[in-house]
Short mmCIF file of all heavy atoms in Angstrom, two decimals:
data_model
loop_
_atom_site.label_atom_id
_atom_site.label_comp_id
_atom_site.label_asym_id
_atom_site.label_seq_id
_atom_site.Cartn_x
_atom_site.Cartn_y
_atom_site.Cartn_z
N SER A 104 70.60 67.10 178.19
CA SER A 104 71.67 68.10 178.12
C SER A 104 72.04 68.67 179.49
O SER A 104 73.15 69.14 179.68
CB SER A 104 71.29 69.22 177.16
OG SER A 104 70.14 69.88 177.61
N PHE A 105 71.13 68.63 180.44
CA PHE A 105 71.45 69.20 181.75
C PHE A 105 71.19 68.24 182.91
O PHE A 105 71.21 68.63 184.08
CB PHE A 105 70.70 70.52 181.99
CG PHE A 105 69.22 70.43 181.88
CD1 PHE A 105 68.44 70.08 182.96
CD2 PHE A 105 68.58 70.73 180.68
CE1 PHE A 105 67.08 70.00 182.87
CE2 PHE A 105 67.20 70.65 180.57
CZ PHE A 105 66.46 70.29 181.66
N ALA A 106 71.01 66.95 182.63
CA ALA A 106 70.73 65.97 183.68
C ALA A 106 71.90 65.80 184.64
O ALA A 106 71.70 65.51 185.82
CB ALA A 106 70.37 64.62 183.06
N GLU A 107 73.11 65.97 184.17
CA GLU A 107 74.29 65.77 185.01
C GLU A 107 74.69 67.03 185.79
O GLU A 107 75.62 66.99 186.58
CB GLU A 107 75.47 65.31 184.14
CG GLU A 107 75.23 64.01 183.42
CD GLU A 107 74.93 62.85 184.37
OE1 GLU A 107 75.56 62.78 185.44
OE2 GLU A 107 74.06 62.03 184.04
N ASN A 108 73.99 68.11 185.58
CA ASN A 108 74.26 69.36 186.27
C ASN A 108 74.00 69.16 187.77
O ASN A 108 72.91 68.73 188.16
CB ASN A 108 73.37 70.47 185.71
CG ASN A 108 73.66 71.81 186.31
OD1 ASN A 108 73.92 71.95 187.50
ND2 ASN A 108 73.62 72.83 185.47
N PRO A 109 74.97 69.47 188.64
CA PRO A 109 74.78 69.27 190.09
C PRO A 109 73.58 70.03 190.66
O PRO A 109 72.90 69.52 191.54
CB PRO A 109 76.09 69.78 190.70
CG PRO A 109 77.09 69.73 189.60
CD PRO A 109 76.33 69.94 188.32
N LEU A 110 73.31 71.21 190.15
CA LEU A 110 72.16 71.99 190.63
C LEU A 110 70.86 71.27 190.30
O LEU A 110 69.96 71.15 191.14
CB LEU A 110 72.16 73.39 190.02
CG LEU A 110 70.97 74.27 190.38
CD1 LEU A 110 70.97 74.56 191.88
CD2 LEU A 110 71.01 75.56 189.58
N VAL A 111 70.75 70.75 189.10
CA VAL A 111 69.55 70.03 188.68
C VAL A 111 69.38 68.76 189.53
O VAL A 111 68.27 68.45 189.97
CB VAL A 111 69.62 69.68 187.18
CG1 VAL A 111 68.48 68.76 186.77
CG2 VAL A 111 69.59 70.96 186.34
N GLN A 112 70.48 68.06 189.79
CA GLN A 112 70.40 66.87 190.62
C GLN A 112 69.94 67.19 192.03
O GLN A 112 69.14 66.46 192.62
CB GLN A 112 71.75 66.15 190.62
CG GLN A 112 72.06 65.51 189.29
CD GLN A 112 73.41 64.82 189.26
OE1 GLN A 112 74.23 64.99 190.16
NE2 GLN A 112 73.65 64.05 188.22
N ARG A 113 70.42 68.30 192.58
CA ARG A 113 69.98 68.70 193.93
C ARG A 113 68.50 69.08 193.93
O ARG A 113 67.78 68.79 194.89
CB ARG A 113 70.84 69.85 194.44
CG ARG A 113 72.24 69.42 194.86
CD ARG A 113 72.93 70.51 195.65
NE ARG A 113 73.02 71.74 194.92
CZ ARG A 113 74.14 72.24 194.38
NH1 ARG A 113 75.27 71.59 194.51
NH2 ARG A 113 74.13 73.37 193.73
N ILE A 114 68.06 69.74 192.87
CA ILE A 114 66.64 70.10 192.77
C ILE A 114 65.78 68.86 192.76
O ILE A 114 64.78 68.77 193.48
CB ILE A 114 66.39 70.98 191.52
CG1 ILE A 114 67.00 72.36 191.72
CG2 ILE A 114 64.89 71.08 191.23
CD1 ILE A 114 66.99 73.23 190.48
N PHE A 115 66.18 67.85 191.97
CA PHE A 115 65.40 66.62 191.91
C PHE A 115 65.41 65.88 193.24
O PHE A 115 64.40 65.29 193.64
CB PHE A 115 65.89 65.70 190.78
CG PHE A 115 65.31 66.06 189.45
CD1 PHE A 115 66.10 66.55 188.44
CD2 PHE A 115 63.95 65.90 189.21
CE1 PHE A 115 65.55 66.88 187.21
CE2 PHE A 115 63.39 66.21 188.00
CZ PHE A 115 64.19 66.71 186.99
N LYS A 116 66.52 65.91 193.95
CA LYS A 116 66.56 65.29 195.28
C LYS A 116 65.63 66.03 196.24
O LYS A 116 65.01 65.42 197.10
CB LYS A 116 67.98 65.27 195.82
CG LYS A 116 68.83 64.19 195.19
CD LYS A 116 70.21 64.16 195.79
CE LYS A 116 71.06 63.10 195.10
NZ LYS A 116 72.43 63.09 195.60
N GLY A 117 65.54 67.33 196.10
CA GLY A 117 64.66 68.11 196.96
C GLY A 117 63.19 67.92 196.64
O GLY A 117 62.33 68.04 197.51
N VAL A 118 62.88 67.59 195.40
CA VAL A 118 61.49 67.41 194.98
C VAL A 118 60.96 66.02 195.37
O VAL A 118 59.76 65.85 195.50
CB VAL A 118 61.39 67.62 193.44
CG1 VAL A 118 60.04 67.21 192.90
CG2 VAL A 118 61.66 69.07 193.10
N ARG A 119 61.83 65.07 195.61
CA ARG A 119 61.40 63.70 195.92
C ARG A 119 60.38 63.61 197.05
O ARG A 119 59.38 62.91 196.92
CB ARG A 119 62.61 62.82 196.25
CG ARG A 119 63.37 62.41 195.03
CD ARG A 119 64.52 61.51 195.40
NE ARG A 119 65.34 61.24 194.23
CZ ARG A 119 66.53 60.73 194.27
NH1 ARG A 119 67.09 60.42 195.43
NH2 ARG A 119 67.21 60.51 193.17
N PRO A 120 60.58 64.30 198.19
CA PRO A 120 59.56 64.20 199.25
C PRO A 120 58.19 64.72 198.80
O PRO A 120 57.16 64.15 199.18
CB PRO A 120 60.12 65.07 200.38
CG PRO A 120 61.59 65.11 200.13
CD PRO A 120 61.76 65.04 198.65
N ALA A 121 58.18 65.75 197.98
CA ALA A 121 56.90 66.27 197.49
C ALA A 121 56.22 65.26 196.57
O ALA A 121 55.00 65.09 196.61
CB ALA A 121 57.12 67.60 196.75
N VAL A 122 57.01 64.58 195.75
CA VAL A 122 56.45 63.57 194.85
C VAL A 122 55.85 62.43 195.67
O VAL A 122 54.76 61.94 195.39
CB VAL A 122 57.52 63.05 193.86
CG1 VAL A 122 57.02 61.85 193.09
CG2 VAL A 122 57.95 64.16 192.93
N VAL A 123 56.56 62.02 196.71
CA VAL A 123 56.05 60.95 197.58
C VAL A 123 54.73 61.39 198.21
O VAL A 123 53.76 60.62 198.25
CB VAL A 123 57.09 60.58 198.67
CG1 VAL A 123 56.47 59.67 199.72
CG2 VAL A 123 58.30 59.94 198.03
N ALA A 124 54.66 62.63 198.66
CA ALA A 124 53.42 63.13 199.26
C ALA A 124 52.29 63.17 198.24
O ALA A 124 51.16 62.80 198.54
CB ALA A 124 53.65 64.53 199.85
N LEU A 125 52.60 63.60 197.00
CA LEU A 125 51.57 63.64 195.96
C LEU A 125 51.05 62.25 195.62
O LEU A 125 49.90 62.09 195.23
CB LEU A 125 52.12 64.30 194.70
CG LEU A 125 52.31 65.81 194.77
CD1 LEU A 125 53.04 66.32 193.54
CD2 LEU A 125 50.96 66.51 194.91
N ILE A 126 51.90 61.25 195.76
CA ILE A 126 51.47 59.88 195.50
C ILE A 126 50.70 59.32 196.69
O ILE A 126 49.70 58.62 196.54
CB ILE A 126 52.68 58.99 195.16
CG1 ILE A 126 53.26 59.41 193.82
CG2 ILE A 126 52.29 57.51 195.14
CD1 ILE A 126 54.60 58.78 193.50
N MET A 127 51.14 59.63 197.90
CA MET A 127 50.55 59.04 199.10
C MET A 127 49.14 59.55 199.40
O MET A 127 48.32 58.80 199.91
CB MET A 127 51.46 59.27 200.31
CG MET A 127 52.77 58.50 200.24
SD MET A 127 52.59 56.76 199.83
CE MET A 127 51.76 56.15 201.27
N VAL A 128 48.85 60.80 199.11
CA VAL A 128 47.52 61.34 199.41
C VAL A 128 46.43 60.54 198.68
O VAL A 128 45.47 60.07 199.31
CB VAL A 128 47.44 62.85 199.10
CG1 VAL A 128 46.01 63.34 199.14
CG2 VAL A 128 48.30 63.63 200.08
N PRO A 129 46.53 60.34 197.34
CA PRO A 129 45.51 59.50 196.69
C PRO A 129 45.53 58.05 197.17
O PRO A 129 44.48 57.40 197.24
CB PRO A 129 45.86 59.57 195.21
CG PRO A 129 46.73 60.75 195.05
CD PRO A 129 47.41 60.95 196.36
N VAL A 130 46.71 57.54 197.53
CA VAL A 130 46.78 56.16 198.04
C VAL A 130 45.94 56.03 199.31
O VAL A 130 45.15 55.09 199.45
CB VAL A 130 48.24 55.73 198.29
CG1 VAL A 130 48.31 54.47 199.13
CG2 VAL A 130 48.97 55.53 196.98
N PHE A 131 46.10 56.95 200.25
CA PHE A 131 45.32 56.89 201.48
C PHE A 131 43.83 57.09 201.21
O PHE A 131 42.99 56.42 201.79
CB PHE A 131 45.82 57.91 202.51
CG PHE A 131 47.14 57.54 203.12
CD1 PHE A 131 48.20 58.42 203.10
CD2 PHE A 131 47.32 56.30 203.71
CE1 PHE A 131 49.42 58.07 203.65
CE2 PHE A 131 48.54 55.94 204.27
CZ PHE A 131 49.59 56.84 204.25
N THR A 132 43.52 58.02 200.32
CA THR A 132 42.12 58.28 199.99
C THR A 132 41.48 57.05 199.36
O THR A 132 40.38 56.64 199.73
CB THR A 132 42.01 59.48 199.03
OG1 THR A 132 42.65 60.60 199.63
CG2 THR A 132 40.57 59.81 198.73
N LEU A 133 42.18 56.46 198.38
CA LEU A 133 41.63 55.29 197.70
C LEU A 133 41.61 54.06 198.59
O LEU A 133 40.75 53.20 198.44
CB LEU A 133 42.41 55.01 196.43
CG LEU A 133 42.27 56.05 195.32
CD1 LEU A 133 43.22 55.75 194.18
CD2 LEU A 133 40.83 56.11 194.83
N SER A 134 42.56 53.97 199.52
CA SER A 134 42.57 52.80 200.42
C SER A 134 41.33 52.78 201.30
O SER A 134 40.80 51.71 201.60
CB SER A 134 43.84 52.77 201.26
OG SER A 134 43.87 53.85 202.17
N LYS A 135 40.85 53.94 201.69
CA LYS A 135 39.61 53.99 202.48
C LYS A 135 38.44 53.49 201.64
O LYS A 135 37.61 52.73 202.11
CB LYS A 135 39.34 55.42 202.95
CG LYS A 135 40.29 55.90 204.03
CD LYS A 135 39.98 57.32 204.42
CE LYS A 135 41.00 57.85 205.41
NZ LYS A 135 40.78 59.26 205.73
N SER A 136 38.40 53.92 200.37
CA SER A 136 37.33 53.49 199.47
C SER A 136 37.41 52.00 199.20
O SER A 136 36.39 51.34 199.00
CB SER A 136 37.40 54.24 198.14
OG SER A 136 37.31 55.61 198.34
N ALA A 137 38.61 51.44 199.15
CA ALA A 137 38.81 50.02 198.86
C ALA A 137 38.57 49.14 200.07
O ALA A 137 38.61 47.92 199.96
CB ALA A 137 40.21 49.79 198.32
N GLY A 138 38.35 49.74 201.21
CA GLY A 138 38.08 48.96 202.41
C GLY A 138 39.32 48.46 203.13
O GLY A 138 39.24 47.49 203.89
N VAL A 139 40.46 49.08 202.88
CA VAL A 139 41.69 48.69 203.58
C VAL A 139 41.59 49.17 205.03
O VAL A 139 41.30 50.34 205.29
CB VAL A 139 42.94 49.28 202.90
CG1 VAL A 139 44.20 48.95 203.69
CG2 VAL A 139 43.06 48.77 201.48
N THR A 140 41.79 48.25 205.95
CA THR A 140 41.72 48.57 207.38
C THR A 140 43.05 48.24 208.04
O THR A 140 43.98 47.75 207.39
CB THR A 140 40.60 47.75 208.06
OG1 THR A 140 40.95 46.37 207.98
CG2 THR A 140 39.26 47.99 207.40
N ARG A 141 43.12 48.46 209.33
CA ARG A 141 44.34 48.10 210.07
C ARG A 141 44.60 46.60 210.02
O ARG A 141 45.72 46.14 210.07
CB ARG A 141 44.25 48.57 211.52
CG ARG A 141 44.35 50.06 211.63
CD ARG A 141 44.46 50.49 213.08
NE ARG A 141 44.67 51.92 213.11
CZ ARG A 141 44.05 52.74 213.94
NH1 ARG A 141 43.21 52.26 214.82
NH2 ARG A 141 44.30 54.02 213.91
N LYS A 142 43.52 45.82 209.91
CA LYS A 142 43.66 44.36 209.84
C LYS A 142 44.15 43.90 208.47
O LYS A 142 44.77 42.84 208.37
CB LYS A 142 42.32 43.69 210.15
CG LYS A 142 41.87 43.85 211.58
CD LYS A 142 40.54 43.15 211.79
CE LYS A 142 40.07 43.34 213.22
NZ LYS A 142 38.78 42.69 213.44
N THR A 143 43.85 44.64 207.42
CA THR A 143 44.20 44.19 206.06
C THR A 143 45.35 44.97 205.43
O THR A 143 45.76 44.64 204.32
CB THR A 143 42.98 44.29 205.14
OG1 THR A 143 42.53 45.65 205.08
CG2 THR A 143 41.85 43.39 205.60
N VAL A 144 45.87 45.96 206.11
CA VAL A 144 46.93 46.78 205.52
C VAL A 144 48.21 45.96 205.28
O VAL A 144 49.00 46.29 204.41
CB VAL A 144 47.22 48.03 206.38
CG1 VAL A 144 47.97 47.68 207.65
CG2 VAL A 144 47.98 49.07 205.58
N TRP A 145 48.38 44.87 206.02
CA TRP A 145 49.58 44.03 205.85
C TRP A 145 49.65 43.48 204.43
O TRP A 145 50.75 43.26 203.90
CB TRP A 145 49.62 42.90 206.87
CG TRP A 145 48.54 41.87 206.67
CD1 TRP A 145 47.30 41.86 207.21
CD2 TRP A 145 48.63 40.71 205.84
NE1 TRP A 145 46.59 40.76 206.78
CE2 TRP A 145 47.39 40.03 205.93
CE3 TRP A 145 49.62 40.17 205.03
CZ2 TRP A 145 47.12 38.87 205.24
CZ3 TRP A 145 49.34 38.99 204.34
CH2 TRP A 145 48.11 38.35 204.45
N ILE A 146 48.51 43.25 203.79
CA ILE A 146 48.50 42.74 202.42
C ILE A 146 49.13 43.78 201.48
O ILE A 146 49.99 43.44 200.65
CB ILE A 146 47.06 42.40 201.97
CG1 ILE A 146 46.48 41.30 202.85
CG2 ILE A 146 47.04 42.00 200.49
CD1 ILE A 146 45.00 41.07 202.65
#
Side-chain angles (χ1 to χ4, degrees):
S104 62
F105 57 87
E107 300 300 322
N108 184 321
L110 177 64
V111 172
Q112 290 179 348
R113 285 193 303 253
I114 289 171
F115 276 113
K116 283 183 182 177
V118 170
R119 283 182 187 166
V122 171
V123 170
L125 287 172
I126 292 170
M127 292 311 293
V128 169
V130 165
F131 287 126
T132 304
L133 292 173
S134 67
K135 289 179 185 176
S136 302
V139 176
T140 64
R141 288 188 176 137
K142 292 180 181 179
T143 60
V144 74
W145 68 269
I146 298 169

